[in-house]
Amino acid sequence: MVDEAERKEENTEPSKDEKTLFSDLSRKMKMEPYENKTLTLQDFLQIDQECLQRMEDWQRESAAWNFIHKVIALNGTARSIVTKNEDENEDLQDDTDDNSVHLLDVLCFVLHCCDNFLKQEIILKMSMCQFAVPLLLPDVDGPGCTFMLWGMRDIVKRWRPQSLAETKGFIQAHLVQISMPTFSFVRLGESKFSKSAILNQVLSPAQHTYDFFVHSNMEGADVPRKISEGLTEISWYFPAGKGNSDIFSEPAAFANLHGNLEDNLKQFAFLTQISSAVFIFVENIDQPIYDFLSQYKNSKATFVIIFKANSKFDKSTNLNNVTVLQFKSKTSEAIITKKIRATAVNFIIKGCNFLKLEDMAEIASKLGISVDENGIECQNAKADAKAIAEEIKDVAQYKKNTMKLQGDLWKNLAELEKEMCQMKKQGDKHGENYKEELKKQCVENRKQQYQCEMPNGISKFIDSIKKRNHTENQYFLKWLRFYLDLSAMNNLSALQAEYKQMSSSPSMTLSELDQKISDSSLGIEHFLRELGQFYEAEHFMLKEENAKKRTFDQLPTYAADLLLRGFPLELIDGDASNIPLQWLQDVLHELDNKTGKCCRMGVITVLGVQSTGKSTLLNTMFGLQFPVSSGRCTRGAFMTLMKVRENFQEELGCEFILAIDTEGLRAPELTSLENSYEHDNELATLVVGLSDITIVNMAMENTTEMKDILQIVVHAFLRMKEIGRKPKCYFVHQNVSDVSAHENNRRDRVKLLEHLNEMTKIAANMENKTKFTAFSDIMIYDPEKDNSYIPGLWNGVPPMASVNVAYSETIYELKAYLIESMKNKGHRICDFMEWIESLWNAVKYENFIFSFRNSLVANAYNQLAKKYSELEWKFTKSMHNWLAETETVIKNQNAQIVDSEAAQCKRTAYVILGNEEVSMQAELEKYFSSENKDASLVERYKAEFLTSASCLRKKLESSSISKCDEAIRIHKENLKVKNIISAYKEVIDKKVASLVMKCREQKYKPDEKKLEEEFEVMWTNIIAELNVTALPEPNVELELLTLLKKDMTLKGSSINQRLNNINKLPKQEKLKSLLERIRKTLRCESSGKLKVFQSLSEICSEYVKGKLKSESDYNETYGLELLNLINSLCDGNKDFQITSDTELDLKLFILGNAVGDFQQMHKEFVKKNDPLICLGEMKPKYCKSFQYLFLEKDESWERAKHFCDFWLKPSLIEQLNRKLGYEIVDHILENSESNHYKTRGYFQFTVMKTLLEKSNFSDYLEYISEYETFVKKWIDNCILEKCDFHHLQSIILSNITKKVKRFLNEPRTFQFQKVSDFLEHLKKGLRTDLVLSDDMDLFCLKDEANIKEFVENLEKSLSDTEAEIIFEMKAVDKETIFSNVVVKPVDELFKRIFGCGKQCPFCRVPCEAGGTDHKNHFASIHRPTGLGKYRSFFTKALCYDICTTNVSGNKSFIDKSGSLHLYKEYRTVYEDWDILPDRSFEASDYWKYVLKEFNEQFTKEYEASPAEYPKEWNRITKAQAVRCLNTAFCMK
């Protein structure tokens, strides 16, 4: 059986040429597209639909594809091939299916299709899987072969020789540089042995045989080979330092030539020169074999001939280097293996030939065997890398001399930047001065960096990257990393020995030893970091005006190219714990340019304890190349870019995935540091904030470390919840191998959730966010889906352990789940840049949550506020429309039905209010839905805005119903007047009828003039006879006093005594003295109370003015409402607690001010509604009707004109004024500059920018001191400038007249016989559109008419009336029109942008928060407190400190109660204000510029001494102020 298996293994088909065989294989493996195309590593790093497939699906598609994918994923089943027969359960009669492919053919085919970098990756991963790797790869276009030195150059091995067994030390080296004996195994002719199977047993421990080499008993190895004849594989044995179980005590290599050596003489010749011994398997031994070997008698290798035979053989030979091992036919493979192994050990003991792979390459070249790394590109790159590496003698010293910029200068900058945020060393220095001092130190550090000359090594590095193409660059970086790792290994091995020796010595602390090891670490990241510092220093020193002098502008382009090629780029400098923001942003900017500025990328990050396999996890999952074996743990964070294949981009929702690898949390070398928790928190917060998915990698065996890392991670997630980021969290539990792990660990998942809840409480307390008590409060977490149990990486004991297949398969399943979870989470690269900057700026502050500021969040908030503002106006406008219609309806009703009609209108109002509230909340919910990517950024404001919608409903309900009630009350008052007038009208009607009869009896036909004279005489007589009386006049003062006494009656006896002595409300002089007394009392108590009083006075004054404009009669409810306003303030404002006496003075003052206005209000009402005046207004109507009645004229045109002039025209003008107000608001909001009014932030930006452009001190003064007045003036001017009132009037008027005309043309209109019936129908039909006067019955004195003709003429006359109104309106100036509108546009727009009206407690800047019920106030930009009249207590100089600086420093302030508080703890006093620290040096340049420009003017105005601000402020230009403004309000 063995003989048959061996023959199958060695079966070949020499009849076809190699090229044809290669093409046949290509067809069989469905790889025709790649036959003439070179596969690259990037092809396999791309994310595509295949990532979501099951692993077994790859086999069905292509054996080659299956092998590459699986081997890169470190899957030990990569060499397993499922044949067509087995796959499809076909009849197995045919043992050799036409499409069957030998495993080694697959390997050779794949390697010939790959470029050198993919070959290297495949061979590295094969080595990790403990597969033998190709040493000599046969060519496909000839008899030659290639020595795979480059393919093996990335392999690094660690082992423990017997000499280090006791000390537990180890050796680490690049495989190609390890000197060891090589034992080669070949076959000459036929053999009864399965050479590869025996070789596997030689290398395997007794209890388990591992398939290092492909042998005939493996699936896919029992078919004929096509192109792998002559393939020589090599594997190695490395000891673990365990004497009993180690097969060999030192490293040894084992080569295996596939095929008959007679057909592969070049390969055999090579093996004879590199090997310590060549084991030759033969069928029988005879003289021709000796003759053949005599050709190699000068070889240093010993030939060990192995064969099976029961008979003796002739041992006589003159060859000294030949040994024969004969075994009987029935000898077991175990005995054969033991003998071969013993023979090899004996050679090692005796001292055999030791060679490195690099030495073997030279031998190969001499024999005419090509070497894969001898290409020109590879050798040129090697020479350049070697030139840099040769300068490195001592790594620490080299870094000190060559990489100065990233040394102390960079670390000092990091400390200075953090100190600028935390200001812990401020001492007694003024905040702004201290900041300027730190700024100078930063400039000095940058200056020193800029003045450093570029060292030779860095210059060579730049030149090498700059001059090369893509392939050469890859070679150069590979070579450089090889040499740097070599230096690091040599240094680290020595240092680790020193560490071991000195760690017990008190002369050096552990931290010093750790620092020494850290200093001896050198990688490509250090070179790139130095480039970044050169770039940053130059960029900082050569600003825009000197930008042309820059020499390093191309560096970000080179770095972006590296990132695109899959090279890891440093995100966080782990040595300095800092981010080179300018460098990183410009690199990402270049990346954005190179990818078309529209690419999106998802981000995956792994976090975990040090040395738990985070880098290996990412490398295995995505085939990445984060360093894991150079002896250096990851420091900081690195990012690698992976491209998403085009056909998968739409489904995934992004074009790239960015993987971030981080340094270990709770690193032993950092735990001794005081701020190690903060360091880990900063790292975790940043990377979690940047990520869409965060993998938390945990080793299950260490629960203490697990709790530590959970606290850090939960803290980071809590911070993200508060700032609007919602990354998905996935917990990976390493080293859990049981198949029942998921089920058995159910209890552990419950325990984990308990830990998470516990850590949430701890983190929440640290961040003063006690509302969070469970992990589910900060994140959507499913314990069943969001946990993965991953077996250990190694199957066996390293260094001979292979990668666990279960590890690879579980990682692959996790990868598929993560990619599925990544769908539609992509962000633009420019957004990612913004997140890096804002998160990093925030983590440098002690209080992250209250220091975070991000333009993306700001923009998302602005969009939300804008959306809310639009919905708010829609809701408000619908209620304005309802109110306009309701007031019209009410005015059209008589006394009998006005209440029922009003009740119906109110029911309609509640329906509208309910529908609009539901609609508004639904729109807001939709905005926060998953479809809106920015919604998560403002998720924390969702409740506020939804509550604001409810509050808006209540506010509109209250105001609308109140106005409706007011309209009803006024109408009822008017009806009373009309009832009085109607009695007079009846008498007049009779007199007019009597006059008609009298004139007719005279039997002559007077003309119109004579009729007018007759009418005039009659009118004069009748008015005299009626004895018209005026309306009753109330005692306003007495009513107000009575209300006041009722209101204050429970305030105590002293108050009642005072009230009893008051008979009149104070007037004029008494009011002045009372005002002074109130001011004096409040000023003594608190300046804040005086401001509240002034505000209350203004509110009451506005209330009275509003009532005056209503043109109604005085009502005692007005006095009650005034008193309620005062009471609500006194009772509801904790800052306005006053004595009862002061309260009485206050009410006397306000009522005293109001009494005169209320009395005047009544006089105006009486004057307007005096019966005599009202009758006088009816006189022309009576006269005209009298003429028509006497003359019996039925001139429809005249009567229609008469009706339009006296009834329709006034109604149209009234409705025009009613609707014009909100049409003006609509016009302003839909204008091209409508953004100014969309949100409070936009408005502030517009105003401040305009102020800066005008640079007028008086404007600034009014803006700061009289903000409300300033805003109203601004809006007023804006409306007058932007609005074409006449155009809007024309549109409104046209819409109303069209509606009237449509009504007139309805068929039922022509059914009436009498004018009175028609007019009643008209009034009812237009009850919601026009208020038609009740005296229309005057028009009906002549009641008969041709209704159809009348209506036609009425329609024509209406057009004339419309034109007439428009003509008259054009003659009216804008101010007059503006004053006549019912809905005041200024008030409506003011409410939108004035907001809550709250001001910063320190600098008085107005709040910009959106909605009507926000919990926290904020402003984009704060100003020096001196602009708000604050001055130094001692010098009286205007203060120049800025609260955004103070909240970072250690200065204190005194609150209203006189208590002292640190500015950092301002929220303990002003808990509803968010004052965010400055993001940069330039963050407050706008107001600094204003103060320095107008310092003298403010000084004079405020009667103070000039502000003694830092002299550096004098250098701030207007352009810088504009930039500051744009940045603060995120206007790019």
Side-chain angles (χ1 to χ4, degrees), residues 343-612:
T343 304
V345 169
N346 193 40
F347 281 121
I348 295 171
I349 293 171
K350 287 181 179 179
C352 53
N353 184 24
F354 279 56
L355 275 179
K356 300 176 185 176
L357 283 167
E358 289 181 334
D359 299 332
M360 295 180 189
E362 295 179 15
I363 295 169
S365 294
K366 290 175 182 176
L367 291 172
I369 296 171
S370 63
V371 179
D372 58 354
E373 66 178 39
N374 282 354
I376 295 173
E377 288 178 327
C378 184
Q379 287 302 309
N380 288 342
K382 178 182 179 179
D384 284 352
K386 197 169 184 179
I388 293 172
E390 283 174 345
E391 294 180 5
I392 307 169
K393 308 301 178 189
D394 178 273
V395 173
Q397 194 59 44
Y398 179 80
K399 285 171 71 176
K400 193 173 182 180
N401 296 336
T402 307
M403 300 177 176
K404 294 178 182 178
L405 273 66
Q406 65 186 270
D408 291 337
L409 291 172
W410 174 227
K411 289 172 183 174
N412 288 343
L413 265 171
E415 289 174 10
L416 285 168
E417 286 174 8
K418 187 165 278 190
E419 176 59 17
M420 282 195 70
C421 298
Q422 300 182 3
M423 298 175 71
K424 290 183 176 179
K425 302 173 186 176
Q426 180 182 353
D428 295 330
K429 297 173 183 174
H430 188 284
E432 296 301 325
N433 290 335
Y434 183 57
K435 229 172 163 182
E436 290 296 337
E437 187 181 308
L438 292 173
K439 185 177 177 180
K440 283 180 185 174
Q441 291 179 42
C442 288
V443 172
E444 184 57 34
N445 269 270
R446 283 299 188 197
K447 189 176 179 182
Q448 289 181 43
Q449 282 187 320
Y450 180 67
Q451 290 172 344
C452 286
E453 289 188 16
M454 182 171 284
N456 190 41
I458 302 298
S459 181
K460 286 179 180 176
F461 181 81
I462 294 174
D463 289 342
S464 297
I465 289 178
K466 193 163 41 174
K467 72 182 181 183
R468 302 189 178 286
N469 60 33
H470 167 60
T471 305
E472 288 177 329
N473 255 329
Q474 280 188 288
Y475 275 121
F476 169 71
L477 292 170
K478 283 277 187 181
W479 275 114
L480 184 58
R481 188 168 72 180
F482 174 81
Y483 285 122
L484 294 179
D485 284 353
L486 191 61
S487 298
M489 287 175 194
N490 295 336
N491 276 273
L492 284 169
S493 57
L495 281 167
Q496 281 163 350
E498 185 183 347
Y499 189 99
K500 193 167 187 178
Q501 181 183 352
M502 300 185 70
S503 58
S504 57
S505 169
S507 61
M508 184 177 286
T509 64
L510 284 173
S511 57
E512 288 173 331
L513 286 164
D514 284 330
Q515 188 59 49
K516 199 169 181 182
I517 290 176
S518 177
D519 291 342
S520 298
S521 171
L522 182 61
I524 294 174
E525 68 268 20
H526 292 92
F527 284 86
L528 289 172
R529 188 187 296 169
E530 194 70 7
L531 296 194
Q533 286 308 302
F534 270 108
Y535 178 81
E536 286 213 324
E538 182 183 73
H539 194 280
F540 183 87
M541 296 306 295
L542 299 178
K543 301 293 184 186
E544 280 98 350
E545 57 271 17
N546 295 313
K548 292 180 180 178
K549 297 179 183 177
R550 293 176 186 165
T551 56
F552 301 133
D553 267 359
Q554 290 302 307
L555 294 183
T557 306
Y558 305 145
D561 286 335
L562 293 179
L563 199 53
L564 273 172
R565 293 169 197 160
F567 190 85
L569 187 68
E570 189 173 57
L571 173 62
I572 303 173
D573 178 348
D575 293 323
S577 290
N578 202 9
I579 293 181
L581 275 176
Q582 189 64 55
W583 163 249
L584 205 55
Q585 284 183 327
D586 289 350
V587 170
L588 290 171
H589 179 72
E590 285 300 323
L591 178 67
D592 201 23
N593 288 338
K594 287 176 180 289
T595 54
K597 283 189 174 292
C598 57
C599 283
R600 302 153 296 167
M601 63 184 187
V603 184
I604 294 179
T605 292
V606 63
L607 276 172
V609 178
Q610 183 171 295
S611 300
T612 53

Side-chain angles (χ1 to χ4, degrees), residues 906-1143:
K906 285 182 182 179
R907 285 193 288 273
T908 304
Y910 289 118
V911 171
I912 294 171
L913 286 163
N915 291 342
E916 287 293 336
E917 182 185 13
V918 169
S919 171
M920 187 174 183
Q921 291 188 331
E923 285 292 323
L924 288 171
E925 288 283 2
K926 185 179 176 183
Y927 186 88
F928 284 104
S929 70
S930 57
E931 295 173 12
N932 181 2
K933 287 189 176 181
D934 292 335
S936 64
L937 302 180
V938 286
E939 182 72 29
R940 57 186 159 148
Y941 300 110
K942 180 178 179 180
E944 287 184 11
F945 277 88
L946 289 174
T947 305
S948 290
S950 298
C951 289
L952 177 64
R953 182 244 160 90
K954 290 174 185 174
K955 179 180 159 189
L956 289 174
E957 179 181 329
S958 173
S959 103
S960 300
I961 300 300
S962 173
K963 286 177 181 175
C964 176
D965 289 337
E966 182 78 354
I968 295 167
R969 190 184 62 76
I970 292 170
H971 184 59
K972 285 181 176 179
E973 287 175 358
N974 289 335
L975 285 175
K976 288 177 186 177
V977 176
K978 287 175 182 177
N979 285 337
I980 296 169
I981 294 170
S982 65
Y984 299 135
K985 271 179 63 190
E986 285 180 18
V987 177
I988 294 172
D989 287 349
K990 289 177 183 177
K991 289 289 184 182
V992 170
S994 173
L995 179 62
V996 170
M997 292 300 293
K998 177 186 170 186
C999 292
R1000 281 179 181 168
E1001 287 171 1
Q1002 293 176 356
K1003 296 183 179 179
Y1004 73 96
K1005 293 188 177 181
D1007 57 15
E1008 287 186 12
K1009 186 176 180 184
K1010 186 67 177 175
L1011 284 174
E1012 282 180 16
E1013 290 173 0
E1014 289 283 354
F1015 180 81
E1016 188 64 39
V1017 171
M1018 183 276 295
W1019 186 266
T1020 305
N1021 294 331
I1022 193 67
I1023 292 298
E1025 291 174 13
L1026 285 175
N1027 191 22
V1028 179
T1029 57
L1031 295 174
E1033 186 171 339
N1035 188 333
V1036 177
E1037 185 175 18
L1038 183 60
E1039 286 184 7
L1040 291 177
L1041 263 178
T1042 304
L1043 291 171
L1044 176 62
K1045 288 177 179 179
K1046 282 182 183 178
D1047 182 69
M1048 296 291 289
T1049 189
L1050 299 176
K1051 296 290 182 178
S1053 57
S1054 62
I1055 295 299
N1056 282 318
Q1057 190 174 350
R1058 277 188 67 189
L1059 285 168
N1060 290 332
N1061 295 328
I1062 297 172
N1063 297 317
K1064 290 185 178 181
L1065 289 170
K1067 294 186 180 67
Q1068 295 179 5
E1069 291 302 319
K1070 286 187 178 180
L1071 272 174
K1072 289 180 182 177
S1073 60
L1074 184 58
L1075 178 60
E1076 286 305 314
R1077 190 166 82 198
I1078 295 170
R1079 283 181 172 170
K1080 187 176 179 182
T1081 304
L1082 295 177
R1083 194 181 290 113
C1084 291
E1085 292 180 17
S1086 156
S1087 61
K1089 287 184 179 179
L1090 185 59
K1091 288 178 181 175
V1092 174
F1093 161 68
Q1094 289 169 341
S1095 173
L1096 176 63
S1097 298
E1098 290 170 8
I1099 290 169
C1100 292
S1101 178
E1102 286 298 315
Y1103 173 80
V1104 174
K1105 285 179 184 175
K1107 293 303 176 188
L1108 288 173
K1109 289 176 184 175
S1110 70
E1111 298 182 354
S1112 62
D1113 195 6
Y1114 162 75
N1115 189 282
E1116 69 171 6
T1117 57
Y1118 298 166
L1120 274 174
E1121 287 180 24
L1122 271 179
L1123 290 170
N1124 286 336
L1125 281 172
I1126 302 166
N1127 290 334
S1128 63
L1129 185 80
C1130 293
D1131 298 337
N1133 193 328
K1134 61 183 179 182
D1135 296 328
F1136 195 66
Q1137 301 300 315
I1138 55 176
T1139 64
S1140 295
D1141 280 307
T1142 306
E1143 184 182 341

Side-chain angles (χ1 to χ4, degrees), residues 1149-1173:
F1149 173 73
I1150 288 171
L1151 292 178
N1153 268 328
V1155 67
D1157 289 326
F1158 287 150
Q1159 287 170 338
Q1160 184 61 33
M1161 181 181 187
H1162 176 72
K1163 287 178 183 175
E1164 291 294 327
F1165 180 80
V1166 168
K1167 183 179 177 182
K1168 184 178 178 183
N1169 293 282
D1170 184 275
L1172 199 59
I1173 295 171

Side-chain angles (χ1 to χ4, degrees), residues 721-788:
K721 167 75 175 177
E722 279 299 283
I723 67 168
R725 286 287 277 168
K726 294 176 71 176
K728 185 174 179 60
C729 177
Y730 200 89
F731 292 95
V732 169
H733 308 270
Q734 296 266 16
N735 306 325
V736 186
S737 55
D738 195 338
V739 291
S740 61
H742 190 83
E743 191 62 34
N744 290 345
N745 283 287
R746 190 178 300 279
R747 179 180 169 279
D748 290 334
R749 291 198 294 279
V750 173
K751 196 72 179 170
L752 172 64
L753 188 56
E754 288 176 5
H755 285 319
L756 290 169
N757 291 336
E758 178 189 343
M759 297 309 150
T760 301
K761 290 178 185 175
I762 293 170
N765 285 331
M766 293 176 73
E767 292 286 359
N768 294 317
K769 290 286 176 181
T770 51
K771 63 181 178 182
F772 300 118
T773 57
F775 189 59
S776 58
D777 291 340
I778 61 174
M779 173 164 292
I780 299 170
Y781 167 67
D782 184 344
E784 294 300 313
K785 291 183 179 179
D786 297 335
N787 284 277
S788 183

Side-chain angles (χ1 to χ4, degrees), residues 3-14:
D3 187 43
E4 184 183 345
E6 184 68 27
R7 279 195 297 275
K8 281 184 181 178
E9 178 189 355
E10 303 301 346
N11 193 4
T12 61
E13 288 187 8

